[in-house]
Amino acid sequence: MNHASRTASRALAAPLGLLTLLALSACGTSTAATRAAGPVPSEVTVAPPSASPSPSGTGSPAASPAPSSTAPSASTTTGAKPLAGKTVVIDPGHNPGNFSHATEINQQVDVGNGHKECDTTGTETDAGYTEAAYTLDVSHRIRDLLQSLGATVILTQDGNRAWGPCVDERAAIGNTAHADAAISVHGDGGPASGSGFHVIMPAKVVAGKADTSAIVDPSHRLGLLVRDSFHTATGEPYADYVADQGLDTRSDLGGLNLSTVPKVFIECGNMRNSGDAARMTDPQWRQRAAQGIADAFTGFLTTTG
Ligand SMILES: [Zn+2]
């Protein structure tokens, strides 16, 4: 998550000079602007996600059935999988194609208490490993783990569309699926001197299309579980440049403001920091990251507050 100054500094070093500063911002830039005129492009208007194992078409949320193989189960005595009947939506932050669709992702969308750009490019490491590639990889790993426990998992995008979805659609996918819980996976673009991870939970926002009243408490419970499990699984320290004890609460993110299901964001590390970048580039570390997040969801979905 970056502020304007950080956005500007990164923009100067970014490889794609044709993009605007707005397009180069990461997840959290707060921009007051009016909504762009005109209809939402047809590419964004996709069929509502389905929890059924029907194949997803281009541009549709990527629902996948639970594997029918004999995956490990925590309930070995009965064979029942602990997450059977549960639906989880995983939102891989950004999209690799956003870099070449600046006009589309700079459209303003309603985030409940204001308007912001549809999406951003996300950040990247000095070596060019993009946040979008990172988030999709980790999301796949989380999906596989949760499916093995019986959950139905829906991705908001699976590399199956040219850009986006916009942040409001990312929230809507979780809502339409009536997900039991959702997470948006990110890597931060903070100052190079800063390291560590943090979890972002929804603030209470009642404005326009947004009403987070019903999700603030369960999202907080989910956030604590994600913070603790991710920390345990990866050893990654709490962020030392943002948030407090690895936790933040924000009211400017459409993906949270517009969610009607328990949801958090995780910034798994700071991709602009050399140490975090090295870890996030390591597939074995990413598997531990996914395990930590999956453990948190399993805890959330099998216990009560
Ligand atoms: Zn991001």
Side-chain angles (χ1 to χ4, degrees):
M1 299 296 179
N2 43 302
H3 303 288
S5 59
R6 209 188 304 160
T7 302
S9 63
R10 185 167 62 253
L12 293 173
L16 298 174
L18 293 177
L19 298 181
T20 66
L21 296 182
L22 206 55
L24 281 162
S25 64
C27 347
T29 306
S30 178
T31 306
T34 56
R35 182 173 187 145
V40 176
S42 58
E43 189 170 351
V44 182
T45 308
V46 299
S50 169
S52 69
S54 58
S56 57
T58 300
S60 297
S64 302
S68 58
S69 62
T70 54
S73 169
S75 301
T76 53
T77 54
T78 63
K81 295 184 177 182
L83 300 185
K86 302 295 185 182
T87 298
V88 175
V89 167
I90 304 173
D91 177 36
H94 314 283
N95 180 322
N98 285 359
F99 280 101
S100 54
H101 289 84
T103 300
E104 291 88 344
I105 68 168
N106 279 331
Q107 300 170 87
Q108 296 291 306
V109 299
D110 188 341
V111 297
N113 55 357
H115 290 80
K116 289 177 72 172
E117 58 270 33
C118 153
D119 200 5
T120 56
T121 61
T123 189
E124 62 187 351
T125 68
D126 281 347
Y129 182 49
T130 65
E131 181 184 354
Y134 171 84
T135 63
L136 194 56
D137 179 90
V138 171
S139 294
H140 285 159
R141 295 172 189 273
I142 301 168
R143 177 196 61 192
D144 292 349
L145 290 165
L146 293 177
Q147 283 183 338
S148 75
L149 298 174
T152 296
V153 179
I154 297 170
L155 301 186
T156 59
Q157 57 93 8
D158 194 10
N160 55 348
R161 51 185 297 160
W163 55 273
C166 297
V167 294
D168 55 344
E169 185 186 351
R170 290 173 187 267
I173 290 168
N175 300 346
T176 304
H178 302 290
D180 294 287
I183 188 166
S184 190
V185 179
H186 289 259
D188 205 5
S193 59
S195 66
F197 81 99
H198 68 286
V199 174
I200 304 169
M201 304 173 293
K204 183 173 180 179
V205 175
V206 181
K209 292 182 177 180
D211 184 354
T212 62
S213 302
I215 69 160
V216 166
D217 287 346
S219 298
H220 185 76
R221 186 168 79 87
L222 177 62
L224 290 175
L225 288 166
V226 172
R227 191 272 309 265
D228 292 346
S229 292
F230 188 87
H231 186 57
T232 298
T234 64
E236 182 76 4
Y238 302 150
D240 59 12
Y241 63 97
V242 69
D244 179 21
Q245 295 293 300
L247 296 172
D248 198 5
T249 300
R250 288 177 57 168
S251 62
D252 64 319
L253 298 175
L256 295 180
N257 288 352
L258 300 174
S259 181
T260 59
V261 303
K263 184 175 181 182
V264 298
F265 277 46
I266 183 168
E267 298 280 0
C268 296
N270 178 13
M271 300 188 83
R272 305 304 304 155
N273 174 274
S274 59
D276 281 1
R279 287 187 283 276
M280 297 171 81
T281 304
D282 175 2
Q284 293 183 331
W285 188 92
R286 293 199 298 272
Q287 186 63 29
R288 292 195 292 274
Q291 186 70 59
I293 293 169
D295 288 348
F297 272 78
T298 302
F300 180 79
L301 296 170
T302 57
T303 60
T304 57

